Amino acid sequence: MGRWFALSVLLLIGGAMVSVWRGWLDVPAEWSPWAPLDVKAVPNWLTGYKLMRLRSDPELCAQALSSSGLRVTRQSDSPDAKCPLIGALRVQGGEVALSSSFLASCPLAVAYALFERHTLQPVAQAVYGEKVSRLDHLGSFACRNVYNRESGALSRHASADALDIAGFRLASGRSISVLKDWPGQTRDAQFLRQVRDGACEAFSVVLSPDYNAAHRNHFHVDVGRWSVCR
């Protein structure tokens, strides 16, 4: 009996998915696995899947980016460089200003926009009752191996798939630094931990000072194929 029930449920789910894919069943875009990601929509259990699809579909990524509100400029491709960049963007900011613009792949830019809208600002409002006005970072693109080793795997920074976030400035002018404010149980430390945890919903990898000493002064966030939140 249980086996037949399970089979019936699987057939029902499969039929529903085929109906959505074929357009026979009309559902809101945020609940359709095949609809483009809308950065402004509240994330749900399909958001991670939609973010993953962006890595191999530039057109779909461009559609998602158009809903992000980010100011970006497209960069010239450099296919013959030691660390080639294809379809890279220069992110100049959105609602939150940046300490400087940064290079990003399209998937990184979309993930950043999702993080800014659905993690960073809500956490700041909950903890401080005000918005973040600026994000300070240590850079994104760098043609190097992991930890600057002479040999080994290329860093996600080498493909503009990673960003190192160093701190934040609130609308009141208050500054929060990963290096100075992570230790302890202060309100700033709690804010940083909530931001770190929320970032894991938008990025594939989030590494904080809890990971190792190399990250004592920043959050490393990237959109690689591994999944780590620490």
Side-chain angles (χ1 to χ4, degrees):
M1 184 70 177
R3 182 183 302 174
W4 286 109
F5 176 76
L7 180 60
S8 298
V9 171
L10 287 174
L11 288 173
L12 182 63
I13 293 173
M17 292 185 68
V18 170
S19 297
V20 172
W21 177 54
R22 291 286 190 178
W24 301 333
L25 182 63
D26 188 24
V27 298
E30 60 266 30
W31 294 109
S32 170
W34 296 281
L37 174 66
D38 181 356
V39 172
K40 293 183 176 66
V42 176
N44 57 37
W45 61 277
L46 284 172
T47 303
Y49 170 72
K50 291 187 175 186
L51 283 168
M52 182 181 65
R53 291 182 66 202
L54 303 184
R55 301 174 193 162
S56 57
D57 193 328
E59 184 176 342
L60 197 62
C61 194
Q63 287 182 274
L65 186 64
S66 69
S67 71
S68 71
L70 281 184
R71 299 185 303 277
V72 301
T73 54
R74 301 196 176 275
Q75 303 297 290
S76 299
D77 292 343
S78 55
D80 300 322
K82 180 181 178 181
C83 295
L85 291 180
I86 307 295
L89 307 165
R90 180 162 291 281
V91 177
Q92 297 165 322
E95 180 184 8
V96 176
L98 299 169
S99 54
S100 62
S101 63
F102 64 87
L103 284 175
S105 64
C106 180
L108 178 64
V110 172
Y112 171 79
L114 202 69
F115 160 75
E116 178 186 302
R117 176 178 289 270
H118 298 290
T119 290
L120 183 59
Q121 294 293 37
V123 170
Q125 287 283 13
V127 175
Y128 300 107
E130 59 179 305
K131 290 186 174 183
V132 170
S133 62
R134 194 179 86 169
L135 178 145
D136 297 325
H137 68 86
L138 304 178
S140 56
F141 175 69
C143 186
R144 61 173 176 82
N145 294 330
V146 175
Y147 295 123
N148 286 302
R149 292 168 179 154
E150 292 186 8
S151 60
L154 281 172
S155 166
R156 297 310 307 185
H157 287 284
S159 51
D161 280 331
L163 177 68
D164 290 339
I165 299 172
F168 310 93
R169 181 174 296 177
L170 301 179
S172 62
R174 178 177 186 153
S175 293
I176 301 100
S177 160
V178 175
L179 176 63
K180 295 179 180 178
D181 298 314
W182 182 267
Q185 299 297 322
T186 65
R187 184 167 60 157
D188 293 341
Q190 293 171 11
F191 166 75
L192 289 172
R193 280 164 175 76
Q194 289 183 44
V195 169
R196 186 273 309 273
D197 294 347
C200 299
E201 301 298 320
F203 301 100
S204 305
V205 171
V206 179
L207 304 178
S208 72
D210 280 350
Y211 185 65
N212 62 16
H215 295 86
R216 65 188 181 280
N217 66 342
H218 69 278
F219 297 154
H220 167 98
V221 299
D222 75 46
V223 289
R225 300 193 180 278
W226 301 103
S227 180
V228 181
C229 178
R230 189 173 171 187

